[in-house]
Amino acid sequence: MNLYEHEAVANIYRKYGVPHADFVVATEPNDEVARFVADRGGAVVKAMVLVGKRGKAGAVKLVGTPDEAAKAVRDIMAMKVWGETPVAVMVCEKAAIVAELYCAMTFSTETRGPVITLSMQGGMDVEEIDPAAIKTFPVSATAEVEPFEIRNMLVEIGFTKEYGAIVRQASMAIANVYKAFWGAECRMLEINPLAVVKVEKTDRKTGKTVESLDLRALDAVITLDDDASVAPQKTYGERSAFRRDQTQREVDALQIDRDDHRGKAGSYVEPEDLGGDIGMMTFGGGGSAVTIETCYDVGLRPANFSDIGGNPPAEKMYRISRVILSKPGLVGVLVCGGTASNTRIDVTLGEGLVSAIDDLAKEGKLDRDLIWVVRRGGPEVEKGLKLLAECFKRHGIKGVVYDSSLPITQAPLILKDLLVEHRGYRPGKAATAQGA
Ligand code: GDP
Ligand code: MN
């Protein structure tokens, strides 16, 4: 799960002592923002979105007065940042940046352990940094990295040439970044810029204001491990890959795989426009992709996507079938996948799907006008498809059943033709839920 910057700072930077700017979060101008900006004589207003390069999109604004801040809050909230609508803005204490470092921590498949990437050329996009100026250091897979190890890394990237005076506090700060990375169970934690900033401090002895340098994390890009010991959803709520709230059906589907780890039947999404009229019961990553692509090609409008595989038990297949079929507005259902190597067709289709249809009929919820096309191969396919065809027959369902002798790309075409013939279907692009 990807975190918004304000979530990362509030929950992770704070907890692990990663130095960061003071901030408030808002969705509209208010007194708290005005006071924050007035007290500090300015601020940085940033869009809370999950995409990067906000600076380039004009979604990071420096302001000097409460009025300017109010305008920036309003403007940013009304913006689309690379297509994404901000959920909030973060109003941050302005930093006097002296240098910008790049700092990232992640797991490397090469060393099969955590790595720390550092560069003195932060601020810009990581892809633009001169490869010679960016260094990746493998570290051992433990909860902590010693500040002296970080110190050596800072020497190697040239930090100490100019900022030797603060190498001790910089090492401790980055050691805390690592603690955060490990402790919060991140897959990736990126800080760009990790800035050397000028700060004013009151000298304890003389009472005078003195300037000194410090290190501060001015950004936070964090991906939490979805398989963390505490599911990220518990802390941050459900979050869809589409950057919108999940629909109830998507939430229900996820629960299927959480309740039972055998096979996969909970990977289910609904297109962003929430339109579509074809229920998609598709199997396997490749099979599902080919089927969906072909649907769009022939002018069918998928109402949902699923990717079922790994031989799920009948119970899971029963549950995902009910989720798929409960999407309102369906006119047809495509049950389609390649030739499974270990997913039992008698169990998934012959038992799971059949009992879902039987129960829906019993409950008076079965839509008998739906047109079904089935195309599937794999273990016990003959038995599975026979049970399904019998089920269609006993409920008066218009459905055709094929095994893998039918090319996979033919199934969407057959469904389209049946829909045109029997339901006056008009193939074409999906209209959005708003009717646009
Ligand atoms: P990103 O573009 O999405 O990575 O957003 P950032 O939060 O990293 O902000 C973009 C850029 O704005 C940074 O690279 C900084 O150069 C600049 N910036 C961010 N915060 C401050 C600040 O407090 N003071 C100044 N002067 N610049 C800032
Ligand atoms: Mn950044």
Side-chain angles (χ1 to χ4, degrees):
M1 177 187 284
N2 296 328
L3 298 187
Y4 291 102
E5 182 180 353
H6 66 288
E7 295 174 324
V9 176
N11 292 294
I12 297 175
Y13 285 3
R14 255 185 205 150
K15 180 172 173 186
Y16 293 95
V18 175
H20 59 86
D22 278 350
F23 70 98
V24 291
V25 177
T27 52
E28 55 189 16
N30 59 35
D31 291 348
E32 192 189 14
V33 170
R35 229 176 302 120
F36 185 93
V37 177
D39 287 351
R40 291 164 181 82
V44 183
V45 184
K46 298 168 141 191
M48 292 301 100
V49 285
L50 296 173
V51 279
K53 305 185 186 182
R54 293 167 301 172
K56 269 193 190 151
V60 175
K61 291 188 198 291
L62 290 169
V63 298
T65 64
D67 280 351
E68 282 174 30
K71 183 174 182 323
V73 173
R74 243 181 258 117
D75 288 352
I76 291 178
M77 286 305 293
M79 254 175 114
K80 283 228 164 185
V81 184
W82 308 117
E84 205 183 314
T85 306
V87 295
V89 295
M90 202 175 165
V91 181
C92 307
E93 188 180 21
K94 214 188 273 186
I97 300 177
V98 178
E100 295 185 316
L101 276 72
Y102 175 87
C103 170
M105 303 189 181
T106 188
F107 289 95
S108 158
T109 47
E110 225 167 281
T111 61
R112 293 173 180 272
V115 288
I116 299 178
T117 301
L118 292 170
S119 172
M120 289 305 290
Q121 291 183 17
M124 63 178 96
D125 297 340
V126 63
E127 311 87 59
E128 287 166 23
I129 302 177
D130 175 2
I134 188 162
K135 292 218 154 64
T136 294
F137 306 94
V139 293
S140 56
T142 47
E144 293 186 27
V145 174
E146 296 292 336
F148 81 83
E149 293 177 79
I150 305 278
R151 182 186 215 284
N152 293 342
M153 298 174 196
L154 287 173
V155 170
E156 258 197 66
I157 63 161
F159 180 86
T160 42
K161 273 185 220 148
E162 269 180 83
Y163 306 108
I166 58 162
V167 71
R168 202 180 114 84
Q169 72 221 60
S171 304
M172 308 234 284
I174 297 172
N176 284 350
V177 174
Y178 182 82
K179 272 186 208 164
F181 166 74
W182 188 274
E185 295 178 74
C186 300
R187 272 174 46 190
M188 202 269 299
L189 188 167
E190 183 195 68
I191 306 172
N192 189 21
L194 175 62
V196 178
V197 298
K198 224 184 276 174
V199 288
E200 290 184 342
K201 277 183 191 152
T202 314
D203 188 295
R204 268 194 230 117
K205 282 182 213 148
T206 63
K208 276 192 202 150
T209 312
V210 288
E211 270 195 354
S212 65
L213 296 180
D214 207 346
L215 205 66
R216 202 158 279 176
L218 294 187
D219 194 2
V221 176
I222 288 186
T223 304
L224 296 177
D225 189 340
D226 289 325
D227 294 321
S229 53
V230 177
Q233 288 83 357
K234 288 222 169 119
T235 315
Y236 301 97
E238 296 288 351
R239 185 162 299 168
S240 154
F242 285 128
R243 297 176 181 125
R244 54 159 167 81
D245 289 338
Q246 281 174 308
T247 67
Q248 190 56 48
R249 281 176 296 274
E250 288 170 344
V251 173
D252 292 346
L254 269 180
Q255 197 57 40
I256 300 172
D257 281 347
R258 290 203 187 125
D259 288 346
D260 183 338
H261 281 281
R262 293 171 296 165
K264 186 170 74 153
S267 148
Y268 171 93
V269 289
E270 295 177 347
E272 203 157 5
D273 61 22
L274 303 179
D277 42 27
I278 307 298
M280 302 286 293
M281 197 172 294
T282 54
F283 300 84
S288 299
V290 168
T291 307
I292 286 154
E293 289 286 310
T294 314
C295 281
Y296 282 121
D297 259 6
V298 302
L300 290 177
R301 297 172 290 268
N304 43 31
F305 303 121
S306 55
D307 160 16
I308 306 163
N311 199 25
E315 165 67 15
K316 288 182 69 166
M317 189 63 207
Y318 172 87
R319 289 175 66 185
I320 192 62
S321 300
R322 295 198 57 142
V323 168
I324 293 167
L325 295 172
S326 67
K327 177 93 199 273
L330 300 183
V331 296
V333 184
L334 190 56
V335 180
C336 195
T339 302
S341 52
N342 72 337
T343 295
R344 290 266 303 265
I345 310 306
D346 55 338
V347 173
T348 49
L349 298 189
E351 263 182 71
L353 175 56
V354 162
S355 45
I357 295 172
D358 285 345
D359 281 1
L360 285 171
K362 255 184 245 156
E363 295 161 23
K365 293 182 192 154
L366 181 67
D367 179 357
R368 289 188 167 77
D369 293 331
L370 286 179
I371 294 180
W372 294 65
V373 171
V374 179
R375 189 274 184 203
R376 189 69 168 131
E380 303 296 338
V381 66
E382 216 170 298
K383 182 178 167 199
L385 294 185
K386 183 166 168 271
L387 288 167
L388 186 55
E390 285 167 6
C391 166
F392 284 170
K393 206 164 165 199
R394 90 179 148 259
H395 296 296
I397 291 173
K398 287 183 265 319
V400 285
V401 175
Y402 299 93
D403 62 18
S404 46
S405 57
L406 181 82
I408 207 167
T409 49
Q410 286 296 304
L413 207 59
I414 292 171
L415 179 60
K416 185 203 74 177
D417 289 345
L418 287 172
L419 284 167
V420 170
E421 188 185 334
H422 296 286
R423 300 214 43 175
Y425 194 77
R426 306 238 303 267
K429 276 202 170 133
T432 67
Q434 292 81 36

